[in-house]
């Protein structure tokens, strides 16, 4: 059985982690925010989430309140879901090129998956982007 040089192997892994972190940092600097946004078709409700779905902003107009609290609450939940998928798409697209095929599996296991090509901003009127 061959012996493993633990120090050399640890150094190699450490260097690989540093290179990956640098590449990820470059990706985030290039693409900007990985937040997901969604907006109602009439623009009355807008939400923003961080990757993973943490709600970071909700904007309501006075007109949105005319629909009643239950309808507004339901729409916020639906928009938050759309925004979460968009944030996951942005995170996936930022990190997948850096992490490679094995990383893609891990990203998917964390809920960061690419949106289908046909599910773009045109599928969500007034979405405010991915």
């Amino acid at each position: 059985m061959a012996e493993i040089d633990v120090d050399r192997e640890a150094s190699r892994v450490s260097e690989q982690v540093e290179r990956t972190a640098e590449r990820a940092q470059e990706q985030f600097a290039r693409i900007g925010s990985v937040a997901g946004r969604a907006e109602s078709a009439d623009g009355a409700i807008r939400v923003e989430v961080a990757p993973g779905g943490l709600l970071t902003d909700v904007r309501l107009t006075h007109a949105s309140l005319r629909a009643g609290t239950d309808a507004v609450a339901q729409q916020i939940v639906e928009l938050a879901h759309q925004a979460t998928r968009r944030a996951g798409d942005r995170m996936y697209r930022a990190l997948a090129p850096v992490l490679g095929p094995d990383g893609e599996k891990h990203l998917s296991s964390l809920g960061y998956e690419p949106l289908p090509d046909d599910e773009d901003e045109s599928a969500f009127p007034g979405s405010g982007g991915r």
Side-chain angles (χ1 to χ4, degrees), residues 7-129:
D7 290 333
R8 188 175 76 195
E9 192 62 24
S11 178
R12 184 188 67 76
V13 169
S14 178
E15 288 173 16
Q16 185 177 11
V17 167
E18 284 181 37
R19 282 193 310 270
T20 301
E22 288 171 5
R23 289 178 58 209
Q25 217 170 18
E26 290 168 5
Q27 281 288 89
F28 287 123
R30 186 178 62 75
I31 68 163
S33 171
V34 293
R37 295 171 193 83
E39 186 175 293
S40 61
D42 62 1
I45 302 173
R46 186 181 79 208
V47 301
E48 183 173 310
V49 302
L54 176 65
L55 200 57
T56 58
D57 191 33
V58 176
R59 303 285 170 120
L60 305 172
T61 65
H62 290 289
S64 70
L65 302 176
R66 290 186 200 126
T69 57
D70 289 341
V72 171
Q74 181 61 34
Q75 194 161 24
I76 290 171
V77 169
E78 290 171 8
L79 291 171
H81 177 70
Q82 289 174 2
T84 299
R85 293 192 60 204
R86 290 183 182 146
D89 173 79
R90 290 184 58 82
M91 183 66 84
Y92 183 93
R93 291 179 192 279
L95 292 179
V98 173
L99 300 177
D102 287 337
E104 290 176 8
K105 289 188 304 188
H106 295 298
L107 289 169
S108 291
S109 75
L110 294 170
Y112 302 138
E113 296 180 334
L115 289 174
D117 290 337
D118 63 342
E119 191 174 324
D120 61 11
E121 294 168 33
S122 63
F124 304 106
S127 68

